[in-house]
Amino acid sequence: MMETWVHIPVLLAEVLAVFDFKGRPARLIDGTLGNGGHTAALLEANPRLEILGIDRDTAALARAQARLAFAGDRFTAAHGNFSRLAEIAADHNWDQVDGVLLDIGVSSPQIDDPARGFSWRADGPLDMRMDRESELNASRILNRYPEAELVRIFREYGEIRQARKLARLIVEAREKAPFATTADLVAVSERALGRSRPGELPAPTLVFQALRIEVNDELGELERVLPAAQSLLAPGGRMAVISFHSLEDRIVKHFYRRAAAACVCPPGLPVCVCGKRQEMKILTGKALTASAAELAENRRAACARLRAAEKVMAE
C-alpha cells in the first residue's frame, strides 16, 4: 500500500502565473517532479498542457504517477537527474518546450522519512541520497573522505566558520567508531559548533545541508541543467527556478544575468567586440518569496526563492 503524504508545493500561485499559457497548447518540463504538486496544478489549470516530469527518486516518481493519473497521456514520467534534461527530452521526442520548472529542494516526504537520513531531527541511517541507486551516501563521505575534503565541503556548502574544527573532530571520532546514524553526526556537530541559542539556526542544520549537497552534487547539477533548459526553450518560452539557499540562488541569478546581457566586453571599450546578444529576458527583478498567507500554511516555504526568465525572440 502506498504511503500518503501531506505535501504543499511552495510558491504555487507564482508558478501558475509564470506558466499561464492562457489555455493554449503547450509543453512543459518539470525537472524536479517530487510529489507532483506543481505539475498537478498546472495540468488542472490548462487542459491543453502536456508535462514531462523528471525525478531521480523512484519513490517520488511512483507517488507522482498515482497523483497525476487524472491527466492521462498529458503527463509522462521519467527517471533521471535533471542535469540530463536535454537527453531525457530527446528520448521522448521533445525537441522544444514552452516552459521548464525546477524546484531545487528536498521534498517533505524525503525530509520526514528517518530512513532517508536527510534530517537531523530524527535518528536514522546516514544516507541523504535522492537517487537510492547512487553509490555515494553521507556515511561514506564521513568515514572515508580526507580531513581537507571535509573542510572544503563544510566551508563551501555549509558556509560554516568552524569547518576545520568540525572536520578534525569527525576524523577523531571515526577512528574510534565509524559514523552510522544521524545521531552520531549530530553529537559531533554540537561538540564542534556548540548548541544553538533560541532563535538561531540549529547547529546541525548547515552540517546536514553541506553533506546533502555533496552526496547529490546539487550545485553541479544546477549549473549543468540551466544551459540545457535554456537551449530547449522555444522563443518566448519561460524558465522558473525555485531555490532554498543562497548558494543555489546565486547560481541562478548569475546565469540569468549573463543570458540577459547584450554585451560582455570589458568596461571601457569604445565599441562591442564580443558579439554577444541577449538570450533571455529576466521576469523577476527580485526573487519572489512566499506571502504571509502561504507562510502561515506552510512554514517550509520560508526559504523559497523563485526567479524566472523568458527566452527572447531570435532577431
Side-chain angles (χ1 to χ4, degrees):
M1 185 178 187
M2 189 173 296
E3 295 167 284
T4 301
W5 299 90
V6 177
H7 173 69
I8 307 172
V10 300
L11 300 175
L12 180 57
E14 291 78 4
V15 167
L16 289 172
V18 170
F19 298 115
D20 182 4
F21 298 112
K22 310 296 183 185
R24 297 188 305 271
R27 281 185 161 183
L28 180 144
I29 295 178
D30 185 344
T32 47
L33 181 63
N35 269 20
H38 289 113
T39 283
L42 287 164
L43 288 167
E44 288 167 350
N46 184 353
R48 302 174 76 186
L49 177 65
E50 297 176 63
I51 294 184
L52 172 61
I54 302 170
D55 208 289
R56 53 177 154 179
D57 187 336
T58 53
L61 275 178
R63 289 193 297 269
Q65 285 179 291
R67 180 176 189 173
L68 300 168
F70 73 89
D73 60 6
R74 291 196 297 128
F75 171 72
T76 303
H79 178 243
N81 291 9
F82 61 63
S83 61
R84 294 180 53 243
L85 181 143
E87 179 185 338
I88 293 170
D91 289 342
H92 291 83
N93 297 314
W94 283 34
D95 57 353
Q96 204 171 58
V97 299
D98 304 287
V100 175
L101 171 63
L102 301 168
D103 179 357
I104 316 294
V106 184
S107 70
S108 297
Q110 289 171 331
I111 294 172
D112 295 338
D113 183 357
R116 303 299 297 268
F118 283 105
S119 175
W120 60 270
R121 296 181 184 277
D123 195 18
L126 277 164
D127 194 329
M128 302 192 195
R129 292 173 299 171
M130 292 181 181
D131 184 347
R132 300 183 96 166
E133 296 178 7
S134 172
E135 292 183 4
L136 183 64
N137 60 21
S139 174
R140 190 182 186 97
I141 291 170
L142 290 169
N143 290 316
R144 299 191 185 186
Y145 272 31
E147 184 175 333
E149 274 295 282
L150 293 175
V151 173
R152 177 191 63 81
I153 291 167
F154 295 131
R155 182 172 289 158
E156 291 184 12
Y157 300 156
E159 300 180 298
I160 298 170
R161 285 176 295 176
Q162 307 99 315
R164 194 170 297 281
K165 178 182 179 182
L166 175 60
R168 186 181 71 249
L169 290 180
I170 286 172
V171 171
E172 290 175 359
R174 75 190 187 190
E175 289 174 354
K176 299 174 184 175
F179 283 85
T181 70
T182 54
D184 296 338
L185 180 56
V186 169
V188 173
S189 298
E190 290 183 341
R191 280 178 55 206
L193 309 179
R195 288 184 175 273
S196 57
R197 300 187 182 94
E200 290 182 341
L201 199 64
T205 301
L206 294 177
V207 177
F208 275 65
Q209 172 186 292
L211 278 172
R212 193 198 75 222
I213 289 173
E214 175 71 12
V215 167
N216 299 289
D217 187 24
E218 292 179 29
L219 301 186
E221 285 280 303
L222 180 57
E223 288 172 342
R224 290 187 288 275
V225 74
L226 294 175
Q230 180 188 327
S231 68
L232 270 176
L233 286 176
R238 293 181 167 190
M239 183 194 319
V241 184
I242 301 172
S243 59
F244 288 84
H245 56 74
S246 60
L247 298 173
E248 295 169 339
D249 185 55
R250 197 176 305 143
I251 290 171
V252 177
K253 179 171 63 175
H254 290 169
F255 176 83
Y256 282 172
R257 283 181 178 174
R258 288 192 301 271
C263 173
V264 292
C265 289
L269 288 183
V271 294
C272 174
V273 296
C274 70
K276 171 108 170 37
R277 294 291 181 266
Q278 183 182 12
E279 303 159 88
M280 302 282 283
K281 177 177 68 175
I282 297 173
L283 301 176
T284 49
K286 290 174 60 179
L288 304 181
T289 57
S291 64
E294 179 173 2
L295 291 174
E297 183 182 7
N298 182 14
R299 61 182 177 82
R300 285 178 176 164
C303 298
R305 302 287 184 271
L306 184 149
R307 294 186 186 271
E310 181 178 288
K311 191 165 188 176
V312 300
M313 298 291 183
E315 294 183 359

